[in-house]
């Protein structure tokens, strides 16, 4: 089953350009992962410092490979002081099926 999630965080005031650069560079790496199906970066129209990243992976195994990628830890360590939250807020999603 596909592993799908929404990651959310808010760039601190003054860190907007650095966060944008970092997340776009990170997105390029994640999209190269064999099991990645989507890594789409959005900002909230009414609050451009608020990021929403839609992620989809082939299955749980592909998601676990993503979590162990060597660039993930350094990215998150660099991102944390630049965002308002303690870390990205993750919401895991399930598809709605017809009954």
């Amino acid at each position: 089953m596909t592993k799908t999630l929404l990651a959310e965080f808010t760039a601190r005031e003054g860190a907007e350009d650095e966060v944008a650069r970092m997340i776009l560079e990170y997105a390029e790496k994640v999209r190269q992962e064999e099991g990645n199906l989507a890594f789409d970066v959005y900002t909230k129209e009414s609050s451009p410092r608020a990021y929403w990243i839609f992620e989809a992976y082939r299955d749980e195994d592909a998601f676990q490979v993503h979590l162990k990628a060597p660039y993930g830890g350094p990215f998150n360590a660099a991102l944390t002081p630049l965002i308002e939250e303690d870390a990205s807020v993750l919401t895991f999603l399930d598809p709605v099926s017809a009954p």
Side-chain angles (χ1 to χ4, degrees):
M1 175 188 279
T2 303
K3 186 75 166 188
T4 307
L5 66 132
L6 181 66
E8 301 175 61
F9 58 83
T10 306
R12 291 186 185 276
E13 202 167 318
E16 299 95 325
D17 291 344
E18 180 67 6
V19 169
R21 182 193 63 75
M22 287 174 56
I23 192 64
L24 292 174
E25 286 178 5
Y26 183 65
E28 288 303 314
K29 292 176 183 175
V30 174
R31 290 177 186 139
Q32 299 297 316
E33 295 172 9
E34 183 180 330
N36 178 262
L37 304 175
F39 194 93
D40 300 328
V41 179
Y42 298 91
T43 57
K44 190 173 175 183
E45 187 174 323
S46 63
S47 178
R49 291 188 299 117
Y51 280 80
W52 291 2
I53 296 94
F54 176 80
E55 303 179 46
Y57 300 89
R58 180 183 59 237
D59 53 24
E60 179 65 31
D61 289 341
F63 180 63
Q64 291 304 315
V65 168
H66 163 70
L67 292 178
K68 295 173 185 162
Y71 42 83
F75 167 78
N76 285 314
L79 180 67
T80 299
L82 301 176
I83 64 174
E84 293 181 356
E85 300 79 8
D86 292 334
S88 295
V89 177
L90 304 181
T91 303
F92 291 90
L93 307 171
D94 288 324
V96 175
S97 302

